[in-house]
Amino acid sequence: MARLHLFDLDGTLLHGTSAPVEISRQLGLEAETVELDRVMSAGRMSPPEYAARVYTLWAELTVAKVTAAFDGAPWLARIRDVWAEIRAAGDYCAVVSLSPSFFVERLLDWGAHAAVGSRFPAVPFVDPVDPAGLLDAAAKVTIADRLCAEFGVGRADCVAYGDSLSDRELFRVVPMSVAVNADGHLAGLATYSYTGRDLWDAYELTRGAR
């Protein structure tokens, strides 16, 4: 049976940062977004509240600045190598993130079978954020189930990779998980734990357990 590898983005594929922080860095608003991330990570801000705040901060955002944020972000090493290996094995890989879809979906070009984020309007912003399109921790489970149906696998065939509170619900419902540079919210939930900056090393923890 094929496996589905589900990757978080912020703090997992991105080392020590989030997509919103990297986007805000391009606008000189990094400190403001780091503080929003801190409050969100502590569970003291809802995804709609967070989205409304960063939407306001990003009033001057352009596609060029999103590209600069993506290209300059501190990605873990060998992400594309891991996803190529997953594909070669006949398995599937997907990114599921609370971060904006216009950033997350760029990872399709790196070899992800699917990349799902909170739906934001196109950049530069004209339309408002639709709260119905924003994701939370529970939505990660819903999306994982949808992807399982799409790829013909079940929850029992899933491996989750994450680092924080937003990954906790998903870690609870899949049989195998890897805490990547994780905080205390995943303590006792992960099958494996990895600290470092190379995704291949985190992925290798799961390779012998099928």
Side-chain angles (χ1 to χ4, degrees):
M1 175 66 72
R3 293 203 293 190
L4 170 59
H5 295 259
L6 297 157
F7 295 90
D8 173 54
L9 173 64
D10 300 325
T12 303
L13 298 178
L14 287 174
H15 185 264
T17 188
S18 68
V21 168
E22 295 307 304
I23 292 166
S24 294
R25 194 189 311 277
Q26 300 298 318
L27 299 168
L29 298 167
E30 176 186 358
E32 291 87 340
T33 310
V34 167
E35 176 60 17
L36 290 178
D37 273 11
R38 186 186 67 80
V39 175
M40 179 78 166
S41 295
R44 301 202 307 269
M45 180 180 291
S46 70
E49 291 172 321
Y50 183 92
R53 296 286 292 276
V54 295
Y55 178 86
T56 299
L57 286 176
W58 295 342
E60 304 301 320
L61 188 60
T62 64
V63 172
K65 289 190 180 297
V66 175
T67 299
F70 186 91
D71 292 344
W75 299 99
L76 292 191
R78 296 199 283 180
I79 293 173
R80 280 171 275 201
D81 292 342
V82 169
W83 292 351
E85 177 72 13
I86 287 171
R87 283 177 169 269
D91 293 336
Y92 301 95
C93 51
V95 181
V96 184
S97 171
L98 274 57
S99 277
S101 52
F102 60 75
F103 191 97
V104 179
E105 289 169 0
R106 289 172 176 247
L107 289 167
L108 293 170
D109 292 337
W110 285 18
H113 287 92
V116 184
S118 291
R119 288 200 307 271
F120 268 65
V123 176
F125 296 146
V126 175
D127 299 321
V129 177
D130 180 1
L134 303 176
L135 305 184
D136 58 15
K140 285 192 171 186
V141 176
T142 302
I143 292 165
D145 286 341
R146 175 171 63 79
L147 293 173
C148 282
E150 180 179 339
F151 298 133
V153 300
R155 283 187 184 178
D157 309 305
C158 289
V159 184
Y161 303 75
D163 75 304
S164 64
L165 180 63
S166 71
D167 304 300
R168 192 163 60 184
E169 297 303 315
L170 185 58
F171 273 42
R172 283 174 170 160
V173 301
V174 300
M176 188 182 303
S177 56
V178 184
V180 179
N181 298 314
D183 62 26
H185 288 105
L186 299 182
L189 288 175
T191 312
Y192 304 104
S193 181
Y194 170 74
T195 301
R197 302 194 65 162
D198 191 328
L199 188 63
W200 188 275
D201 293 337
Y203 167 65
E204 275 208 315
L205 295 172
T206 75
R207 294 182 76 189
R210 293 191 70 98

